[in-house]
Each structure stands twice: as structure tokens, then as C-alpha cells.
Amino acid sequence: MRYGDYLNLDRLLGAQEPPGDDGKPRAFAHHDELLFVVVHQVFELWFKQTLHELRRARDLLAVDEVPESDIPRIVAALLRIHEIQQLCVHQFDVLETMQPLHFLSFRERLGSASGFQSSQFRELEALSGLQPAQDGRPNFKQAVYAWLARTPVEEGFAQRYLAAFETYVERQRGLQRQNPDLDAKGQAAVQARLDAYLASCHEFLAGESATLNTACLFLTAYSGEPLLHLPCSLVEAVTAFDEWFRIWRFRHARMVERIIGPRVGTGGSSGVDYLDSTVRASIFPELLRSRAFLVPADLLPPLSDPDRYGFAKDLQG
Ligand code: HEM
């Protein structure tokens, strides 16, 4: 076995010439076209690795009872994905060394080819849960939420929490009443906003997705408890994945804007406008929403059975 055989380098390094009109590999139309091809191919390789890790995380989570020893493996897969995401975002810097005019010297050779047609990117959207699943299996989001909803939350927690949240909102009301920048109209507006904030917490903890929402809030609020620490790091890793997916989209859109401005894309979309419209979509909006209802530690209701979430007795010295 030789290095080149193991890595299939003949195929890999022979795959950079784009096909010409006759379907045969053609010469580059500009010096920078190699960069354009290499950067896209490297992204596709990282998409492949990301799918591989995300599938593993999904498979480990999509079982009726996740063994505690699997949680660090899921977190490790997500941390690896996070490193890849950060690397990918920086790769756009390399592409930005290409002058807009130089891109135009081969852009028409792309025809209607566009990243829009990247099947791995679409698979990533489907597997993560941003788009409906394609293969009938639970996607990553469904697996995370089913696992989260099984968090053992203390009896009566939601009621105790709502009382603490009301006190918190009262404190915010008091702070705003002293806001010197608000006239009577501004004051009424901010108090109405706080009314809506309070109502939205009630809906969050008692509405349709109450079980999942309560679990999210419980975990994040008591993340310092030893037994909740590991599940909480999983939630953080999931949140980082979601955040960096959007950072990728934002970064791609800025690079596109810099190179082609607001013109129609080769795929036929409105271009930058379309790309910017995709940036807001979060995979896990419920996890982000739960953070709006966290209260400072001095207001957190004490756990009624703290031992349950502490270290196992036999582990204590
Ligand atoms: C000069 C560099 C690039 C330009 C000008 C560009 C431009 C665009 C435009 C305008 C779109 C919207 C669809 C369309 O109408 O074509 C798009 C979509 C997309 N591009 Fe790029 N792109 C560039 C580089 C890249 C790179 C390096 C990747 C990495 C794989 C990439 C991946 C994608 C993906 C995945 C989409 C679909 C996004 C979605 O639908 O949410 N692009 N690109």
C-alpha cells in the first residue's frame, strides 16, 4: 500500500478540471478558476464529514433510553462538527482573494450550476431538522427533543418557576419605571412589552409544548447540579451547531455580496436577498426561546430534592 493508493489521490487530484461543452475536461478559463473549484470541493468534503458525525449523533440519541455513557460521545461528535464549521467559515476568506472581475471571466462557464443544487447541503438541512426528513427516520432535531422531553423534572417545578418569573418581571417593571429616557407613552409601551413577556412565559410552560419547554428551562437553570451538567453540555453543543450553521449562511452571503453584488444567482434566485432570507431560520428555536425565561440565580426556586441531582452517594468522600 502506498500513500497515493490509500488516499485515492489519482482520482482526487484528477477531479479539478470542469467539463467543457463536449463533456470532456476543459482547460481553466482563468487562473483563479482552480481556486473556485478547490474551495467548493473542500466544502463538499467537510459536508460529508459533518453528515457522518451528525448521523452518528442522531443514531446514538434516537433510542428509547440513551445510556449516560453515550452522552459524552454525542457531545464529542458535536464538538468535532463545531471545529469543522469554524474552519469552513474561514474558508470564505480564501475565496475572497479572487477579484470580482476575475470571477466574471469564468462565471458564464458555470451555466446554471449553483451551490443551490448541493445535495449534501440539502441533506444536512434535512438531517439536522431544518427541512422535513427524507428517509422516514427521526432527524437530529426530533431525536434531541424526544431525549430532552424525557428529562426527569421535579413535580410542581413549572408552578414554582412561574412564581419566580413573576417576581423577576416585577423587578424589570421597577427598573423601567426609573428609566429617564421614557415619556408616558414610552413607559406604557415598555410595560405592555413586559405584560406580553410574562404571558409568553405562561404559554411556554403551560402551552402545547410544555413538556419539552419545561425540560429545556429546568436543565439550563440547574446546569450546575452534577447530574444535569452532562445533558446541559449536550444542549450547549446543539445550540452551537445551530448558531454556526447560521453563521456559515451569513458569511457565505457576505462573500457573495462582495463578489457579485445584488445580482441574480447562477441558480436563478434573487441572489444575496434570497441568501439573507435563509439566515434567520434556527433549527432549534425552542432552545433559544427558553433562554428568554431564565431568571438570575437569587430568584431560582430551590430544588425540592437536591440529592437526586447531586453526585451519587457512593461517589462522595
Ligand atoms: C464566488 C463564489 C460564490 C458565489 C458568487 C456564490 C453565489 C451563490 C448564490 C447567488 C446562491 C443563491 C442561489 C443561486 O441563485 O445561485 C448560492 C447558493 C449556495 N451556495 Fe454559493 N456562491 C459562491 C461560493 C460558494 C461556496 C464556496 C460554497 C460551498 C459549498 C457555496 C455553497 C452554496 C450553497 C450550499 C447554496 C445554497 C444555499 C441555500 O439555498 O440556502 N457557495 N451561492
PDB file of all heavy atoms in Angstrom, residues 32-49:
ATOM      1  N   ASP A  32      -7.780  31.864 -11.646  1.00  0.00           N
ATOM      2  CA  ASP A  32      -8.486  31.693 -10.365  1.00  0.00           C
ATOM      3  C   ASP A  32      -9.554  30.602 -10.380  1.00  0.00           C
ATOM      4  O   ASP A  32     -10.152  30.318  -9.333  1.00  0.00           O
ATOM      5  CB  ASP A  32      -9.149  33.021  -9.938  1.00  0.00           C
ATOM      6  CG  ASP A  32      -8.113  34.015  -9.427  1.00  0.00           C
ATOM      7  OD1 ASP A  32      -6.904  33.685  -9.472  1.00  0.00           O
ATOM      8  OD2 ASP A  32      -8.504  35.116  -9.006  1.00  0.00           O
ATOM      9  N   GLU A  33      -9.806  30.022 -11.553  1.00  0.00           N
ATOM     10  CA  GLU A  33     -10.871  29.008 -11.590  1.00  0.00           C
ATOM     11  C   GLU A  33     -10.501  27.776 -10.760  1.00  0.00           C
ATOM     12  O   GLU A  33     -11.373  27.131 -10.169  1.00  0.00           O
ATOM     13  CB  GLU A  33     -11.204  28.620 -13.033  1.00  0.00           C
ATOM     14  CG  GLU A  33     -12.538  27.871 -13.109  1.00  0.00           C
ATOM     15  CD  GLU A  33     -13.034  27.616 -14.530  1.00  0.00           C
ATOM     16  OE1 GLU A  33     -12.303  27.931 -15.501  1.00  0.00           O
ATOM     17  OE2 GLU A  33     -14.164  27.100 -14.653  1.00  0.00           O
ATOM     18  N   LEU A  34      -9.197  27.450 -10.699  1.00  0.00           N
ATOM     19  CA  LEU A  34      -8.780  26.309  -9.865  1.00  0.00           C
ATOM     20  C   LEU A  34      -9.166  26.567  -8.406  1.00  0.00           C
ATOM     21  O   LEU A  34      -9.703  25.690  -7.723  1.00  0.00           O
ATOM     22  CB  LEU A  34      -7.268  26.060  -9.982  1.00  0.00           C
ATOM     23  CG  LEU A  34      -6.726  24.951  -9.047  1.00  0.00           C
ATOM     24  CD1 LEU A  34      -7.337  23.588  -9.378  1.00  0.00           C
ATOM     25  CD2 LEU A  34      -5.202  24.854  -9.107  1.00  0.00           C
ATOM     26  N   LEU A  35      -8.923  27.780  -7.935  1.00  0.00           N
ATOM     27  CA  LEU A  35      -9.274  28.118  -6.547  1.00  0.00           C
ATOM     28  C   LEU A  35     -10.770  27.921  -6.313  1.00  0.00           C
ATOM     29  O   LEU A  35     -11.194  27.345  -5.303  1.00  0.00           O
ATOM     30  CB  LEU A  35      -8.891  29.581  -6.259  1.00  0.00           C
ATOM     31  CG  LEU A  35      -9.279  30.072  -4.866  1.00  0.00           C
ATOM     32  CD1 LEU A  35      -8.310  29.535  -3.826  1.00  0.00           C
ATOM     33  CD2 LEU A  35      -9.319  31.597  -4.791  1.00  0.00           C
ATOM     34  N   PHE A  36     -11.564  28.391  -7.266  1.00  0.00           N
ATOM     35  CA  PHE A  36     -13.020  28.294  -7.160  1.00  0.00           C
ATOM     36  C   PHE A  36     -13.451  26.823  -7.029  1.00  0.00           C
ATOM     37  O   PHE A  36     -14.272  26.472  -6.175  1.00  0.00           O
ATOM     38  CB  PHE A  36     -13.640  28.942  -8.407  1.00  0.00           C
ATOM     39  CG  PHE A  36     -15.139  29.026  -8.393  1.00  0.00           C
ATOM     40  CD1 PHE A  36     -15.791  29.998  -7.653  1.00  0.00           C
ATOM     41  CD2 PHE A  36     -15.904  28.125  -9.128  1.00  0.00           C
ATOM     42  CE1 PHE A  36     -17.179  30.078  -7.640  1.00  0.00           C
ATOM     43  CE2 PHE A  36     -17.284  28.194  -9.128  1.00  0.00           C
ATOM     44  CZ  PHE A  36     -17.932  29.174  -8.382  1.00  0.00           C
ATOM     45  N   VAL A  37     -12.857  25.967  -7.847  1.00  0.00           N
ATOM     46  CA  VAL A  37     -13.199  24.542  -7.826  1.00  0.00           C
ATOM     47  C   VAL A  37     -12.717  23.899  -6.527  1.00  0.00           C
ATOM     48  O   VAL A  37     -13.465  23.179  -5.852  1.00  0.00           O
ATOM     49  CB  VAL A  37     -12.591  23.815  -9.053  1.00  0.00           C
ATOM     50  CG1 VAL A  37     -12.761  22.303  -8.931  1.00  0.00           C
ATOM     51  CG2 VAL A  37     -13.217  24.320 -10.342  1.00  0.00           C
ATOM     52  N   VAL A  38     -11.460  24.172  -6.147  1.00  0.00           N
ATOM     53  CA  VAL A  38     -10.885  23.547  -4.945  1.00  0.00           C
ATOM     54  C   VAL A  38     -11.688  23.931  -3.712  1.00  0.00           C
ATOM     55  O   VAL A  38     -12.048  23.076  -2.894  1.00  0.00           O
ATOM     56  CB  VAL A  38      -9.391  23.934  -4.790  1.00  0.00           C
ATOM     57  CG1 VAL A  38      -8.886  23.598  -3.387  1.00  0.00           C
ATOM     58  CG2 VAL A  38      -8.549  23.217  -5.837  1.00  0.00           C
ATOM     59  N   VAL A  39     -12.017  25.210  -3.580  1.00  0.00           N
ATOM     60  CA  VAL A  39     -12.755  25.644  -2.385  1.00  0.00           C
ATOM     61  C   VAL A  39     -14.115  24.941  -2.313  1.00  0.00           C
ATOM     62  O   VAL A  39     -14.507  24.438  -1.259  1.00  0.00           O
ATOM     63  CB  VAL A  39     -12.904  27.190  -2.351  1.00  0.00           C
ATOM     64  CG1 VAL A  39     -13.870  27.613  -1.256  1.00  0.00           C
ATOM     65  CG2 VAL A  39     -11.559  27.853  -2.134  1.00  0.00           C
ATOM     66  N   HIS A  40     -14.812  24.844  -3.432  1.00  0.00           N
ATOM     67  CA  HIS A  40     -16.096  24.134  -3.419  1.00  0.00           C
ATOM     68  C   HIS A  40     -15.913  22.663  -3.053  1.00  0.00           C
ATOM     69  O   HIS A  40     -16.681  22.100  -2.273  1.00  0.00           O
ATOM     70  CB  HIS A  40     -16.804  24.241  -4.777  1.00  0.00           C
ATOM     71  CG  HIS A  40     -17.566  25.506  -4.959  1.00  0.00           C
ATOM     72  ND1 HIS A  40     -16.987  26.668  -5.406  1.00  0.00           N
ATOM     73  CD2 HIS A  40     -18.870  25.815  -4.715  1.00  0.00           C
ATOM     74  CE1 HIS A  40     -17.897  27.634  -5.456  1.00  0.00           C
ATOM     75  NE2 HIS A  40     -19.049  27.141  -5.032  1.00  0.00           N
ATOM     76  N   GLN A  41     -14.888  22.046  -3.611  1.00  0.00           N
ATOM     77  CA  GLN A  41     -14.691  20.614  -3.331  1.00  0.00           C
ATOM     78  C   GLN A  41     -14.343  20.383  -1.861  1.00  0.00           C
ATOM     79  O   GLN A  41     -14.811  19.428  -1.245  1.00  0.00           O
ATOM     80  CB  GLN A  41     -13.594  20.049  -4.244  1.00  0.00           C
ATOM     81  CG  GLN A  41     -14.068  19.940  -5.687  1.00  0.00           C
ATOM     82  CD  GLN A  41     -13.030  19.296  -6.586  1.00  0.00           C
ATOM     83  OE1 GLN A  41     -11.844  19.294  -6.278  1.00  0.00           O
ATOM     84  NE2 GLN A  41     -13.472  18.773  -7.715  1.00  0.00           N
ATOM     85  N   VAL A  42     -13.507  21.263  -1.311  1.00  0.00           N
ATOM     86  CA  VAL A  42     -13.140  21.117   0.099  1.00  0.00           C
ATOM     87  C   VAL A  42     -14.391  21.262   0.981  1.00  0.00           C
ATOM     88  O   VAL A  42     -14.611  20.486   1.907  1.00  0.00           O
ATOM     89  CB  VAL A  42     -12.054  22.151   0.487  1.00  0.00           C
ATOM     90  CG1 VAL A  42     -11.847  22.172   1.984  1.00  0.00           C
ATOM     91  CG2 VAL A  42     -10.745  21.827  -0.223  1.00  0.00           C
ATOM     92  N   PHE A  43     -15.251  22.220   0.644  1.00  0.00           N
ATOM     93  CA  PHE A  43     -16.516  22.366   1.388  1.00  0.00           C
ATOM     94  C   PHE A  43     -17.324  21.082   1.320  1.00  0.00           C
ATOM     95  O   PHE A  43     -17.861  20.619   2.329  1.00  0.00           O
ATOM     96  CB  PHE A  43     -17.357  23.505   0.801  1.00  0.00           C
ATOM     97  CG  PHE A  43     -17.135  24.829   1.473  1.00  0.00           C
ATOM     98  CD1 PHE A  43     -16.444  25.846   0.834  1.00  0.00           C
ATOM     99  CD2 PHE A  43     -17.634  25.077   2.739  1.00  0.00           C
ATOM    100  CE1 PHE A  43     -16.253  27.079   1.443  1.00  0.00           C
ATOM    101  CE2 PHE A  43     -17.446  26.305   3.359  1.00  0.00           C
ATOM    102  CZ  PHE A  43     -16.747  27.309   2.702  1.00  0.00           C
ATOM    103  N   GLU A  44     -17.425  20.506   0.118  1.00  0.00           N
ATOM    104  CA  GLU A  44     -18.225  19.283  -0.031  1.00  0.00           C
ATOM    105  C   GLU A  44     -17.644  18.149   0.802  1.00  0.00           C
ATOM    106  O   GLU A  44     -18.377  17.349   1.378  1.00  0.00           O
ATOM    107  CB  GLU A  44     -18.346  18.878  -1.511  1.00  0.00           C
ATOM    108  CG  GLU A  44     -19.249  19.798  -2.343  1.00  0.00           C
ATOM    109  CD  GLU A  44     -20.739  19.701  -1.977  1.00  0.00           C
ATOM    110  OE1 GLU A  44     -21.159  18.713  -1.357  1.00  0.00           O
ATOM    111  OE2 GLU A  44     -21.489  20.654  -2.307  1.00  0.00           O
ATOM    112  N   LEU A  45     -16.314  18.089   0.906  1.00  0.00           N
ATOM    113  CA  LEU A  45     -15.690  17.057   1.751  1.00  0.00           C
ATOM    114  C   LEU A  45     -16.041  17.279   3.219  1.00  0.00           C
ATOM    115  O   LEU A  45     -16.360  16.346   3.951  1.00  0.00           O
ATOM    116  CB  LEU A  45     -14.167  17.057   1.569  1.00  0.00           C
ATOM    117  CG  LEU A  45     -13.649  16.407   0.276  1.00  0.00           C
ATOM    118  CD1 LEU A  45     -12.150  16.618   0.140  1.00  0.00           C
ATOM    119  CD2 LEU A  45     -13.978  14.911   0.257  1.00  0.00           C
ATOM    120  N   TRP A  46     -16.003  18.537   3.647  1.00  0.00           N
ATOM    121  CA  TRP A  46     -16.372  18.819   5.047  1.00  0.00           C
ATOM    122  C   TRP A  46     -17.858  18.571   5.291  1.00  0.00           C
ATOM    123  O   TRP A  46     -18.259  18.148   6.363  1.00  0.00           O
ATOM    124  CB  TRP A  46     -15.980  20.244   5.441  1.00  0.00           C
ATOM    125  CG  TRP A  46     -14.512  20.406   5.697  1.00  0.00           C
ATOM    126  CD1 TRP A  46     -13.676  21.349   5.152  1.00  0.00           C
ATOM    127  CD2 TRP A  46     -13.682  19.636   6.598  1.00  0.00           C
ATOM    128  NE1 TRP A  46     -12.403  21.194   5.632  1.00  0.00           N
ATOM    129  CE2 TRP A  46     -12.370  20.157   6.520  1.00  0.00           C
ATOM    130  CE3 TRP A  46     -13.916  18.546   7.447  1.00  0.00           C
ATOM    131  CZ2 TRP A  46     -11.305  19.632   7.270  1.00  0.00           C
ATOM    132  CZ3 TRP A  46     -12.868  18.023   8.181  1.00  0.00           C
ATOM    133  CH2 TRP A  46     -11.579  18.565   8.091  1.00  0.00           C
ATOM    134  N   PHE A  47     -18.698  18.829   4.265  1.00  0.00           N
ATOM    135  CA  PHE A  47     -20.126  18.499   4.408  1.00  0.00           C
ATOM    136  C   PHE A  47     -20.253  16.988   4.641  1.00  0.00           C
ATOM    137  O   PHE A  47     -21.061  16.530   5.452  1.00  0.00           O
ATOM    138  CB  PHE A  47     -20.936  18.860   3.150  1.00  0.00           C
ATOM    139  CG  PHE A  47     -21.136  20.343   2.908  1.00  0.00           C
ATOM    140  CD1 PHE A  47     -21.556  20.808   1.655  1.00  0.00           C
ATOM    141  CD2 PHE A  47     -20.917  21.279   3.903  1.00  0.00           C
ATOM    142  CE1 PHE A  47     -21.754  22.159   1.410  1.00  0.00           C
ATOM    143  CE2 PHE A  47     -21.107  22.641   3.669  1.00  0.00           C
ATOM    144  CZ  PHE A  47     -21.523  23.074   2.418  1.00  0.00           C
ATOM    145  N   LYS A  48     -19.449  16.218   3.889  1.00  0.00           N
ATOM    146  CA  LYS A  48     -19.515  14.761   4.008  1.00  0.00           C
ATOM    147  C   LYS A  48     -19.167  14.325   5.435  1.00  0.00           C
ATOM    148  O   LYS A  48     -19.858  13.504   6.040  1.00  0.00           O
ATOM    149  CB  LYS A  48     -18.543  14.131   2.998  1.00  0.00           C
ATOM    150  CG  LYS A  48     -18.561  12.637   2.996  1.00  0.00           C
ATOM    151  CD  LYS A  48     -17.755  12.086   1.834  1.00  0.00           C
ATOM    152  CE  LYS A  48     -17.853  10.562   1.830  1.00  0.00           C
ATOM    153  NZ  LYS A  48     -17.321   9.994   0.603  1.00  0.00           N
ATOM    154  N   GLN A  49     -18.096  14.883   5.971  1.00  0.00           N
ATOM    155  CA  GLN A  49     -17.668  14.533   7.329  1.00  0.00           C
ATOM    156  C   GLN A  49     -18.722  14.971   8.357  1.00  0.00           C
ATOM    157  O   GLN A  49     -19.007  14.276   9.325  1.00  0.00           O
ATOM    158  CB  GLN A  49     -16.313  15.198   7.626  1.00  0.00           C
ATOM    159  CG  GLN A  49     -15.713  14.809   8.957  1.00  0.00           C
ATOM    160  CD  GLN A  49     -15.276  13.350   9.005  1.00  0.00           C
ATOM    161  OE1 GLN A  49     -14.823  12.806   8.008  1.00  0.00           O
ATOM    162  NE2 GLN A  49     -15.443  12.714  10.147  1.00  0.00           N
TER     163      GLN A  49
END
